Amino acid sequence: NAGVTQTPKFRILKIGQSMTLQCTQDMNHNYMYWYRQDPGMGLKLIYYSVGAGITDKGEVPNGYNVSRSTTEDFPLRLELAAPSQTSVYFCASSPERYNEQFFGPGTRLTVL
Amino acid sequence: KNQVEQSPQSLIILEGKNCTLQCNYTVSPFSNLRWYKQDTGRGPVSLTIMTFSENTKSNGRYTATLDADTKQSSLHITASQLSDSASYICVVSRVETSGSRLTFGEGTQLTVNP
């Protein structure tokens, strides 16, 4: 199993551009999550999903959108990139609500 | 406010030495507490997960303790190795009606020198 995979690994955007961060898991997990990690800070939850077709906001959802059309995929969309969205983004999945979460390798995004 | 505070912020030790990292939390209602290891440039990897009724849990050279009364946890690393150099993150899970709401600490950056 590949676990949780994320693409791209690195990306530089200009202010106002849009992009989609991809996340795929092959463990058949129901729950999936998107976090951002700013330097020296704890991870913050952006959005999460409890199953295909169901998504909900986390702590810091502004400026982002998600969709969950399949169990495997949970893409994160940035519509109008801003410098404040410069961060490392992690996708994670877990089989049930309170189980261990498995993290992807992260996407480092810089908005200039 | 639901918070997780870790100390120290950073720690440097010599290879072969032991160390203890601390985690205090105010998250309520409590579901479980996890310790993750995050190598530079990588995603966090789970070391241990403890529920309310568990006081100690070991994973090789890593031993986590939990005192749910005082809302404190520690992670003890025995006979440190160079590969232990990483950020160690304490994560507390809160009981919610849906989803799994985790509160992450800022991590302790451990450096093990030869």
Side-chain angles (χ1 to χ4, degrees), chain A residues 37 90 97-101, chain B residues 34 36 38 46 96 99-100:
Chain A
Q37 185 177 36
F90 289 100
R97 184 190 307 179
Y98 297 115
N99 285 147
E100 171 189 353
Q101 293 188 8
Chain B
R34 313 150 190 226
Y36 279 86
Q38 185 176 20
S46 179
E96 291 208 335
S100 175

Side-chain angles (χ1 to χ4, degrees), chain A residues 83-99:
Chain A
S84 60
Q85 293 177 305
T86 294
S87 189
V88 181
Y89 292 84
F90 289 100
C91 179
S93 72
S94 65
E96 296 298 336
R97 184 190 307 179
Y98 297 115
N99 285 147

Side-chain angles (χ1 to χ4, degrees), chain A:
Chain A
N1 287 349
V4 180
T5 57
Q6 293 182 238
T7 56
K9 284 189 169 57
F10 304 94
R11 184 72 185 267
I12 297 175
L13 284 181
K14 294 183 179 179
I15 295 173
Q17 286 185 318
S18 62
M19 75 164 294
T20 299
L21 282 66
Q22 302 292 344
C23 174
T24 300
Q25 54 95 5
D26 62 359
M27 297 174 282
N28 201 33
H29 287 171
N30 289 322
Y31 288 76
M32 295 188 74
Y33 314 84
W34 273 106
Y35 295 92
R36 60 176 288 171
Q37 185 177 36
D38 299 326
M41 306 288 287
L43 277 76
K44 301 291 186 186
L45 181 65
I46 305 171
Y47 271 95
Y48 67 96
S49 169
V50 302
I54 306 170
T55 63
D56 207 348
K57 296 178 180 179
E59 298 174 77
V60 289
N62 292 345
Y64 306 95
N65 278 301
V66 293
S67 60
R68 184 96 182 269
S69 57
T70 66
T71 299
E72 295 78 19
D73 300 307
F74 190 40
L76 177 72
R77 179 84 178 162
L78 283 73
E79 289 295 347
L80 291 170
S84 60
Q85 293 177 305
T86 294
S87 189
V88 181
Y89 292 84
F90 289 100
C91 179
S93 72
S94 65
E96 296 298 336
R97 184 190 307 179
Y98 297 115
N99 285 147
E100 171 189 353
Q101 293 188 8
F102 296 84
F103 286 82
T107 293
R108 185 175 295 274
L109 176 67
T110 302
V111 182
L112 301 174

Side-chain angles (χ1 to χ4, degrees), chain A residues 98, chain B residues 2 25-32 52 71 92-97 101:
Chain A
Y98 297 115
Chain B
N2 294 299
Y25 63 92
T26 59
V27 175
S28 181
F30 175 87
S31 174
N32 58 60
F52 185 88
K71 298 187 177 181
V92 181
S93 178
R94 186 168 84 242
V95 176
E96 291 208 335
T97 54
R101 195 56 59 94

